[in-house]
Amino acid sequence: MLSSFAQSSPPGRLIVIGDVHGCLSELQSLIHQINPRDEDRVILVGDLVNKGPDSAGVLDYVIENRFRSVIGNHELRLLRAYKNPKKAQLKAYDDETMAQLKRRHWRYIEAMPTTLYFPEWNVI
C-alpha cells in the first residue's frame, strides 16, 4: 500500500531561502544559480531585511518576482516600530532599514504570514 505522501509528483521544485538580511546582490546571484522555472516556487523564510546594505532592494526584488515569504523576527520588530514608534525597541541597524522602506515595502511586510501551506509538496 502506498503512503498518502507518494500520491503524485509536485509540479516543480519548492525552493526555500532564508535570512537574506538586505543582501540583494547575493540573493540575485543565488536565484540566477538556481534558475527557477515557471513551475517552481521560491519561498523566503523571513529576515529579508536588516544588516545588509539594501533591504529596500531585496523587498523590491521579492515583490517584482512574486516570491512569497513568511515574516521573520526582523520584519516583525520593524513592523511593530512602524505601527507604534513610541514603544519601539530597535537595534542600531534598524534605523537605517526604516529609512529605506517605502509604503509598498510596508504593505508587503504587513501581508507576510507566519506560515505557508503547499499541499502539492505536503509542506507547511
Side-chain angles (χ1 to χ4, degrees):
M1 183 162 120
L2 289 176
S3 162
S4 62
F5 296 111
Q7 291 176 1
S8 64
S9 296
R13 298 175 296 170
L14 181 62
I15 300 163
V16 181
I17 301 169
D19 296 272
V20 174
H21 284 295
C23 295
L24 176 60
S25 62
E26 291 84 352
L27 175 61
Q28 290 171 323
S29 176
L30 179 61
I31 294 296
H32 179 75
Q33 289 175 34
I34 293 168
N35 192 24
R37 301 178 302 261
D38 289 342
E39 64 272 14
D40 295 336
R41 294 248 183 121
V42 176
I43 307 303
L44 295 116
V45 290
D47 295 346
L48 282 76
V49 300
N50 281 343
K51 299 184 180 180
D54 196 0
S55 293
V58 167
L59 289 169
D60 286 335
Y61 184 74
V62 168
I63 291 166
E64 288 166 13
N65 286 282
R66 298 185 178 169
F67 298 153
R68 295 183 64 197
S69 178
V70 295
I71 196 164
N73 63 304
H74 287 261
E75 290 86 17
L76 189 57
R77 186 176 59 246
L78 292 178
L79 186 58
R80 287 179 178 153
Y82 177 71
K83 290 186 172 196
N84 195 348
K86 291 181 182 179
K87 291 188 176 184
Q89 295 182 343
L90 298 176
K91 307 247 182 202
Y93 47 73
D94 290 332
D95 290 328
E96 183 180 327
T97 300
M98 294 282 287
Q100 290 180 24
L101 302 184
K102 307 291 184 240
R103 182 70 193 132
R104 69 183 174 276
H105 303 128
W106 292 114
R107 281 193 307 267
Y108 184 83
I109 292 171
E110 287 174 317
M112 291 170 115
T114 56
T115 60
L116 292 168
Y117 174 51
F118 299 98
E120 61 271 36
W121 286 278
N122 198 35
V123 171
I124 296 176

